[in-house]
Structures are given as C-alpha cells and as structure tokens.
Amino acid sequence: MRAFLDQSALVGLNPAMAELPEIIILADQMTDRLSGRELTSFRLGMDKPLNRPPADYDLLLGRPLDRVRPLGKWLVVDFSGPGPNLLVHPGMGMDLVESSVPLDKETQFEFHFSGRTGFKIRYWWFGYLRLAEPGRSRAEAGDIGPVPFTGECSRDYLVELARTKPRTGLKAFLTNQKNLAGIGNYYIHDICHCLKAHPLTKMGSLSPDQLDRLHGAVETTLSQAVERGINSYEFDFFGRTGQWSSEEFQVGYRAGQPCPVCGTEIIKIKAANAASYICPVCQPEPN
Amino acid sequence: MRAFLDQSALVGLNPAMAELPEIIILADQMTDRLSGRELTSFRLGMDKPLNRPPADYDLLLGRPLDRVRPLGKWLVVDFSGPGPNLLVHPGMGMDLVESSVPLDKETQFEFHFSGRTGFKIRYWWFGYLRLAEPGRSRAEAGDIGPVPFTGECSRDYLVELARTKPRTGLKAFLTNQKNLAGIGNYYIHDICHCLKAHPLTKMGSLSPDQLDRLHGAVETTLSQAVERGINSYEFDFFGRTGQWSSEEFQVGYRAGQPCPVCGTEIIKIKAANAASYICPVCQPEPN
DNA sequence: CGTCCTAACAGCGA
DNA sequence: CTCGCTGTTAGGAC
C-alpha cells in the first residue's frame, strides 16, 4: 500500500493512461482470477466517476463475475444473472490491482469477492465507473466504434469509413473512439510512423497503399504492445510493473533520438490538441 | 440599359455588396418614388432567389406600396392591405434601379407600379427575393439581430451581448447578422480601426474603453457612409453612381498606403474567412 | 465576398 | 493527457 501510494508521484509524468493493450492484459488477468466468484461487498469512495446513484450499484451484489472483457479503453465486468454490468475507464490514469482485505478510507473504490479476493481502483485524476444494462455497454461507453482484433474492425470497415471522412486528420481519425475504440495518444505515434504518414494528413490524402496498410499498422502496433506486457510505469492486476518504457517505441516519446528507419532525429510536435512524435523525413508535413 | 449591363464587368472586382448604408439610401429613394403607388405587374426571371413558389408573389398585386425600409442588409418593401411583404437582399451584389417600361427577357426581375414607374433587379451572382408575412420580416431574414440607428441596437445592448460572447472575435461578432444586422466585410475594416482593435481580438479581451466605444465606432462609420452617398462602383435607385471609392476609408482597401493616425503602412490580412485591412501598429495582433 | 449547412477544431471542466 | 460540451472556424454550395 505504501509503494502503491508512492506511485502517485508519477501523476502528470506518465504518458500511458491505459489504451487497448493494457486493457486487454488487465481484462485477461481479472477474468482468470475472479471468474465465478461472487461480489460480496464494495465501497464507492467518490460519486463523480459514477453514472448512477451509488445505491444502484447494489444491483451487482451477490452475482458471480462471468468475465472481464476489453471494450476499447473500457473494461467491461460482466456478471451472471439479471441486472447491470460494471464498466471501468482509466480516464487520466488508474491503478486497478487485486486486493483481498478491506482497505483504509483513502482507497477510492474497492470490490470484494468470494474466495478472499477482489480489486481496488485509484484514479490518478479522474476516471469513470459506470453501470450498463446488458447490451448497453457500447452506448454507456459513449457510442464507441468497433474494437481492433474483433471482426467488426476489419480492413474494409476502416477503408470505407476513411472514405466518408476525407477531411479528418489521420491522428484525429484513429483516436476518435467513435471510429474505432482503443487508441489514444500513447500508441498513435508508432501507428502513424508505421504508415509513414504525418498525424495531420487528411484521410482523403492517404495513398491507396497507406489506406490498405492502415488496418495492419493498427493491429501490428497494438499486438506488439500486448506481447510486451505492462510497461514500467504501470501496474498489472497483481501490482507488478513491466520492464520496458519508450525504448520499445519506433518514434513515440523519443524526441532527439534517431528514426529507426532513416536515422533522422525524431521531433515532438503538437497535433490534434496533444503532443505527437514523428520522423520529419518519413512523415513529412501534408500540403 | 447598355451602360447598366457594361457594369457587369465589375463582378468580382467590386468589394461593396450593399451593407446598411447603401440599403438606407436605396430604401429612402424607393419610398420617395414609389410610396402610394400600386403594384400592377411583375416578372420573376429566376426561381433560385425565391423562398415561395412564383405564383405566391401574386399576393402582392394591386396593393399600394406603403414604404421601403432598411432591415440590416435587407430592403423590406411594405405593402398596404392584407398579405405578405417583399424582402430583397443584395447577396453577392445587386443592381436595383428604377425602370418604367417592360424590359427584355434578360432582365432578371421587374416590378411595375401605377404612375409609369417601378424597378428592376439584377443579381451579379445570386441574391434573395422573399415573401414575408407582416411581423415575420426578421424571421424570414434569418433571425437577424437589431439594426444600428434603431433604439434596439443600443450601447448597452452591445456591451451586454459582448459579455455573453467573450470568445468571439471582434470581426466575427460585428459581421454576424444575428448579433446586429447590417455590417459586412466592407465597412468592418474602418470600424475595427476606429476601435483600435485587431479584427481577431476576442470580445472578452476588449478593454472597458473599447467596449464603451464599440457602439460609437459602428454608428460613426456607418453614418459617414450614408452622408457620402452611393460610391463610384454602385448605383443608386436612379442609376447614378457616386464620386468616391476607397480613398474615403481610413484603412479599408488601402493596403500599402499610410495609416491616417500613425502613418504606418496598412496591410491586408485574412481574418474570419475573408480579407481584412488593418494598421499593424494601431491594431496589433491579439495574444 | 453573402448566407446557410456541416464538419473539424479548440478550450474548458471534471 | 481522456471524455464531453460548447462555441468558433473552415469549406462547399448556391
């Protein structure tokens, strides 16, 4: 618990706020550990993240956890039996780790399950903890689009969607959760670099080849992150940090270092209202 | 008629598309000449400018013209008796001049009145010719705001409205017809210069003194234009052009010439999606 | 270079 | 450095 709180010093420094790869890892670990166990008690330390009155969350009590599944940047905690399920969004940073005992009142959220296990959540700044009736997860998550690695987010889907939005910039297109769900400002840098496209390139200006490789660039970048596991700034469900940070990226967070493709110095720019890291040669400015 | 058509060579060159001063002049002349006379016949040469089927315009026939009044950039032709009135908007340029005889079929619109008079309209590119039921003129004109020189467009009104839109740029604020009606991209230059404010200054960044002088800057600039009469590029109701052009402006259309206040060279910039002429010293860039 | 519609974009607060 | 809201800006059509 002390080590846990000490990490709060990282607020504002850690650029990873949990995107689809981290959500996939966490969902798998939670499912492994909690599947079949009943929710016995919980404590909601704040109202702000909730979409319904705190008392409504009693509808989760006594129900066995079916599984935890990734839905873009959201974790969907599915319970058996009638009633709503639980949606968790990391917002601007979250620790979600296993815990087995009632905790002190500074702990923001805790959920206890049968078998002496459970989990606790701490939001670094803010996040979301919502109830969603079965079949309403997507709607409660903000009408988000298809998730990479599912059939819905196919190559054809992306190409067709891109055709309908020729004036949208590439980065804005890929980080808009209504287009496809799970990419934020952490993995976007390498996806754009993989495509050899500047983040502000209009979708209508992508070459046929780039349009064709869009789907692959997304899935390659995200699946490599899943394989690497949790990074050194974040915790997995068991409170363990990983071994890697930005050195695993092609260009992300590597300003001043050489582009792995052409050796040019990577630069940091502002694009779509947030930082972007690009190789100015591989990804020349549009227009 | 030949001289009239020859002026069509000016399409695209003339920056004045009739704003409140020209509308005021035209409305007065039309009222003087046509008041009390009945509409005996008309011809609508195009459907595009109309807001109702051409046959509906028969509702104007036989009714005496009461008066023509300015409503921002619109001319409102009020008729006596029940039925709609006629609204005329110069759009991207219009000649509206007196005519007394039926004209050739190239004439876009003509309206004949008792007493061997009437008027014809030619739109340089496009414009609007609408019917409005009594009391619905403002609505048909696009829910426009109060008109300068009327009590509604008072100093207090402008100051209060400005407070509600702190993030709007000065030029966008003054040329938005829903805020106040009658200013376009012709007179806006001198109004901003009179205020000593850059066109992109946010309303919330205007000094108390500038806010206080806003109303005066608008009315001074527009009333001087009314006093000068029609300019050398346009026609009054009697087909006469005026004697003045841009040399009467402080900064408008005077790029390269000295600012009358400080002598600095006036420059042309792009602001709020159209050209603006400013003195870079009297009107420094905001932020 | 006017008006209207729509989409993209930026700023703010939580 | 996320989401959602709101208001401004930019582009195309007429």
Side-chain angles (χ1 to χ4, degrees), chain A residues 24-166:
Chain A
I24 289 174
I25 292 167
L26 216 42
D28 283 350
Q29 294 177 321
M30 291 176 76
T31 299
D32 283 351
R33 194 76 184 91
L34 300 175
S35 176
R37 303 184 189 274
E38 292 174 16
L39 182 68
T40 54
S41 67
F42 63 87
R43 195 167 59 74
L44 308 175
M46 301 185 298
D47 287 357
K48 279 278 167 55
L50 313 180
N51 68 330
R52 306 243 304 249
D56 285 10
Y57 289 71
D58 287 349
L59 293 166
L60 303 171
L61 283 173
R63 294 163 59 200
L65 187 148
D66 179 15
R67 63 162 180 161
V68 181
R69 60 191 166 90
L71 185 65
K73 298 179 185 176
W74 293 80
L75 286 167
V76 180
V77 186
D78 280 329
F79 288 87
S80 303
N85 297 309
L86 184 66
L87 266 61
V88 183
H89 189 288
M92 285 294 275
M94 163 186 82
D95 303 316
L96 190 163
V97 296
E98 186 177 29
S99 76
S100 53
V101 295
L103 300 159
D104 59 78
K105 66 176 192 282
E106 271 71 37
T107 304
Q108 294 176 353
F109 301 94
E110 49 187 280
F111 294 84
H112 301 290
F113 288 78
S114 56
R116 302 179 50 79
T117 183
F119 61 89
K120 62 186 177 187
I121 294 175
R122 184 181 66 94
Y123 289 117
W124 299 354
W125 186 4
F126 58 81
Y128 309 96
L129 204 49
R130 298 182 178 174
L131 291 178
E133 299 301 326
R136 297 266 314 152
S137 300
R138 268 210 153 71
E140 285 297 343
D143 284 315
I144 60 179
V147 178
F149 307 123
T150 68
E152 292 142 358
C153 194
S154 66
R155 175 184 311 216
D156 285 351
Y157 167 79
L158 286 180
V159 170
E160 277 314 302
L161 187 63
R163 290 224 172 94
T164 68
K165 311 201 171 194

Side-chain angles (χ1 to χ4, degrees), chain B residues 43-79:
Chain B
R43 192 166 59 77
L44 308 174
M46 301 185 297
D47 288 357
K48 279 276 168 56
L50 313 179
N51 67 333
R52 305 245 303 252
D56 285 11
Y57 289 70
D58 288 348
L59 293 166
L60 303 171
L61 283 173
R63 293 164 60 200
L65 187 149
D66 180 13
R67 63 161 180 161
V68 181
R69 58 190 167 92
L71 184 65
K73 298 179 185 176
W74 293 81
L75 286 167
V76 181
V77 185
D78 281 328
F79 289 86

Side-chain angles (χ1 to χ4, degrees), chain A residues 189 199 251-255 266-269 275-279 283:
Chain A
H189 316 298
V251 296
Y253 307 96
R254 295 178 70 77
I266 294 161
I267 60 172
K268 179 181 182 178
I269 63 171
S276 272
Y277 296 85
I278 64 165
C279 166
Q283 304 164 269

Side-chain angles (χ1 to χ4, degrees), chain B residues 17-38:
Chain B
M17 305 293 175
E19 301 179 7
L20 183 55
E22 293 75 29
I23 296 296
I24 288 174
I25 293 167
L26 217 42
D28 283 350
Q29 295 177 323
M30 291 176 75
T31 299
D32 283 351
R33 195 75 184 93
L34 301 174
S35 177
R37 303 182 189 272
E38 291 174 15

Side-chain angles (χ1 to χ4, degrees), chain B residues 8-281:
Chain B
S8 66
L10 287 174
V11 171
L13 294 176
N14 184 342
M17 305 293 175
E19 301 179 7
L20 183 55
E22 293 75 29
I23 296 296
I24 288 174
I25 293 167
L26 217 42
D28 283 350
Q29 295 177 323
M30 291 176 75
T31 299
D32 283 351
R33 195 75 184 93
L34 301 174
S35 177
R37 303 182 189 272
E38 291 174 15
L39 182 68
T40 54
S41 67
F42 64 86
R43 192 166 59 77
L44 308 174
M46 301 185 297
D47 288 357
K48 279 276 168 56
L50 313 179
N51 67 333
R52 305 245 303 252
D56 285 11
Y57 289 70
D58 288 348
L59 293 166
L60 303 171
L61 283 173
R63 293 164 60 200
L65 187 149
D66 180 13
R67 63 161 180 161
V68 181
R69 58 190 167 92
L71 184 65
K73 298 179 185 176
W74 293 81
L75 286 167
V76 181
V77 185
D78 281 328
F79 289 86
S80 303
N85 296 309
L86 183 67
L87 267 60
V88 183
H89 189 289
M92 286 294 276
M94 163 185 81
D95 304 315
L96 189 163
V97 296
E98 187 178 26
S99 75
S100 53
V101 294
L103 300 160
D104 58 77
K105 65 175 191 282
E106 271 71 39
T107 304
Q108 295 176 351
F109 300 94
E110 49 188 282
F111 294 83
H112 301 290
F113 287 79
S114 57
R116 301 180 50 80
T117 183
F119 61 88
K120 62 186 177 187
I121 294 175
R122 184 181 65 94
Y123 289 117
W124 298 353
W125 186 4
F126 58 82
Y128 308 96
L129 204 50
R130 298 183 178 173
L131 290 179
E133 299 301 326
R136 298 266 315 153
S137 299
R138 269 209 152 71
E140 284 298 343
D143 284 315
I144 59 179
V147 178
F149 306 122
T150 69
E152 293 142 357
C153 194
S154 66
R155 174 184 313 216
D156 286 352
Y157 166 79
L158 286 180
V159 170
E160 277 314 303
L161 187 64
R163 291 225 172 93
T164 68
K165 310 201 171 193
R167 293 167 51 194
T168 308
L170 174 63
K171 176 177 176 178
F173 179 90
L174 290 174
T175 57
N176 182 341
Q177 305 298 300
K178 290 182 196 281
N179 292 337
L180 67 170
I183 301 172
N185 206 49
Y186 191 52
Y187 291 111
I188 187 65
H189 316 297
D190 277 14
I191 296 174
C192 291
H193 182 263
C194 178
L195 263 189
K196 297 208 184 311
H198 190 282
L200 295 179
T201 311
K202 301 295 182 199
M203 295 307 291
S205 301
L206 289 178
S207 71
D209 176 62
Q210 284 174 319
L211 261 186
D212 193 55
R213 289 185 304 137
L214 185 56
H215 179 261
V218 168
E219 298 214 340
T220 299
T221 302
L222 297 183
S223 65
Q224 284 175 355
V226 174
E227 285 163 26
R228 282 197 300 265
I230 217 77
N231 68 32
S232 61
Y233 299 115
E234 298 184 301
F235 298 100
D236 69 5
F237 187 58
F238 308 109
R240 298 179 302 223
T241 60
Q243 303 302 317
W244 66 277
S245 57
S246 63
E247 68 275 2
E248 299 289 333
F249 283 122
Q250 298 292 300
V251 295
Y253 307 96
R254 296 177 70 76
Q257 298 183 260
C259 168
V261 170
C262 75
T264 307
E265 191 172 295
I266 295 161
I267 60 172
K268 179 180 182 177
I269 63 172
K270 182 169 178 174
N273 234 356
S276 271
Y277 296 84
I278 64 166
C279 166
V281 170

